[in-house]
Amino acid sequence: MNDHNAPDSLLKLDLQVCFALYSTNLAMTKVYRRLLRELGLTYPQYLVMMVLWEEDGQTVSEIGERLFLDSATLTPLLKRLEGMGLLSRRRAADDERRVRVQLTDPGRDLRIRAEAIPEAVACASQCQPEELMALKDQLHALRRKLNG
Amino acid sequence: MNDHNAPDSLLKLDLQVCFALYSTNLAMTKVYRRLLRELGLTYPQYLVMMVLWEEDGQTVSEIGERLFLDSATLTPLLKRLEGMGLLSRRRAADDERRVRVQLTDPGRDLRIRAEAIPEAVACASQCQPEELMALKDQLHALRRKLNG
DNA sequence: TGATATTAAGTAGCGCGCGATTTAATATCG
DNA sequence: CGATATTAAATCGCGCGCTACTTAATATCA
């Protein structure tokens, strides 16, 4: 009868939404993994590079606020990117608790090669831009409610 | 101008959708983590239990098809659930390559306590059922395209 | 039947993502 | 100034999720 307000229906519906989120995220990550392999990056590493390409020299906390990740996740990840020679980590002179993350020349240069990625993902999604934008807005709204 | 077909706009839009998916999934997992802690389950473990509550005695592959996970992920996870006494793993008599997963009495009983979870998550999401259903359908459509 | 191919599950190793804790630097306040 | 609180980053341990590989059982077919 399509009674979305019946408790049972609501509970199952919710379950499906969360699993849809979970499994679609897995599928998305798989697509990125294939595309990012030639850049030698994982998806979270790619996100960090995006944040730095947008604004270089951010602290670990600032990067974490953009990506909703904390230092327990970011510190090892940044060390790997540093090991690849894509960035450098240095304590800030004015506040030695903070670590500023600076792109190296290879790190900046990688942006050119990375610019082909979004188009390839969009192609793999086979969605209209309008659909993707609508989905993005709904996800942002849900994220805000879940985080708040 | 709102020109979604301009290459630059399309690329950025796609990026935002994927990150929205990624970060909303993180937020969703955090909500579940808090709720599932009292059951002693992680979200993927909870998903496996859901699959078995729906149909007991499935093989590792069958569970994997439902959840889009393979044996490299499921075998260790199932061993942990077995270690908790929630299920048992046994080679199938008719085809000894397959492992059938059976709920134990405690595993079946856990369902009662788990039934409060979806409502709590729905409450945390603060969304109308219609919104969640629409989001679910869009995610399923995207997942199908990404996987196919 | 016997050789080969396929299938199901398991293992090893790596990179997240996070709760809990630690270390060190800065801020606050008596 | 000195004691305490707060903050930023790092560390530790665990559970995914995956690629690549291994092992064992079944299927296929000459």
Side-chain angles (χ1 to χ4, degrees), chain A residues 82-106:
Chain A
E82 188 178 37
M84 297 178 208
L86 298 176
L87 51 80
S88 67
R89 296 154 61 248
R90 208 170 38 199
R91 292 277 166 185
D94 58 322
D95 183 347
E96 295 218 331
R97 291 174 301 184
R98 300 185 182 206
V99 168
R100 294 218 167 271
V101 182
Q102 301 278 348
L103 291 171
T104 59
D105 287 343

Side-chain angles (χ1 to χ4, degrees), chain A residues 64-135:
Chain A
E65 278 168 29
R66 284 293 299 272
L67 301 180
F68 302 94
L69 297 172
D70 69 355
S71 70
T73 298
L74 286 174
T75 297
L77 189 157
L78 289 168
K79 283 185 174 180
R80 274 173 224 118
L81 291 175
E82 188 178 37
M84 297 178 208
L86 298 176
L87 51 80
S88 67
R89 296 154 61 248
R90 208 170 38 199
R91 292 277 166 185
D94 58 322
D95 183 347
E96 295 218 331
R97 291 174 301 184
R98 300 185 182 206
V99 168
R100 294 218 167 271
V101 182
Q102 301 278 348
L103 291 171
T104 59
D105 287 343
R108 264 184 295 275
D109 294 348
L110 192 63
R111 180 180 192 162
I112 308 300
R113 289 210 285 152
E115 275 170 356
I117 302 289
E119 190 175 6
V121 174
C123 185
S125 81
Q126 294 179 307
C127 285
Q128 297 303 311
E130 292 77 13
E131 294 179 69
L132 294 175
M133 179 171 253
L135 181 55

Side-chain angles (χ1 to χ4, degrees), chain B:
Chain B
M1 289 304 177
N2 213 12
D3 184 357
H4 303 318
N5 293 318
D8 199 57
S9 165
L10 185 123
L11 300 188
K12 289 190 178 173
L13 172 64
D14 163 72
L15 174 77
Q16 291 168 12
V17 173
C18 293
F19 177 60
L21 192 56
Y22 168 82
S23 55
T24 307
N25 182 57
L26 290 185
M28 183 273 291
T29 306
K30 280 191 232 295
V31 170
Y32 267 102
R33 200 186 331 273
R34 183 168 49 77
L35 295 168
L36 288 171
R37 187 162 47 195
E38 57 192 278
L39 300 191
L41 296 177
T42 65
Y43 182 65
Q45 288 169 1
Y46 170 72
L47 289 178
V48 167
M49 294 302 289
M50 295 284 310
V51 170
L52 292 172
W53 287 326
E54 193 171 308
E55 185 183 337
D56 197 2
Q58 296 188 67
T59 65
V60 175
S61 295
E62 286 165 349
I63 297 169
E65 278 168 29
R66 284 293 299 271
L67 301 180
F68 303 92
L69 298 172
D70 69 354
S71 70
T73 298
L74 285 174
T75 297
L77 190 156
L78 289 167
K79 284 186 173 178
R80 274 172 224 119
L81 291 176
E82 188 178 36
M84 297 178 207
L86 297 176
L87 52 80
S88 66
R89 296 154 61 248
R90 208 171 37 202
R91 292 276 165 188
D94 57 322
D95 184 348
E96 295 219 331
R97 290 173 301 183
R98 300 185 182 205
V99 168
R100 295 219 164 269
V101 182
Q102 301 278 350
L103 291 170
T104 59
D105 287 344
R108 263 184 297 275
D109 293 349
L110 192 63
R111 180 179 193 162
I112 308 299
R113 290 208 287 150
E115 275 170 354
I117 301 289
E119 190 174 6
V121 175
C123 186
S125 82
Q126 295 178 306
C127 285
Q128 296 303 311
E130 291 77 13
E131 293 179 70
L132 295 176
M133 179 171 253
L135 182 54
K136 180 204 61 163
D137 290 341
Q138 290 174 60
L139 288 170
H140 279 169
L142 177 56
R143 188 185 65 201
R144 200 175 314 116
K145 289 174 181 172
L146 289 173
N147 280 336

Side-chain angles (χ1 to χ4, degrees), chain A residues 10-30:
Chain A
L10 184 123
L11 299 188
K12 289 190 177 173
L13 172 63
D14 163 72
L15 174 76
Q16 290 167 13
V17 174
C18 293
F19 176 62
L21 193 55
Y22 168 83
S23 55
T24 306
N25 182 58
L26 289 185
M28 184 274 291
T29 306
K30 280 192 233 292

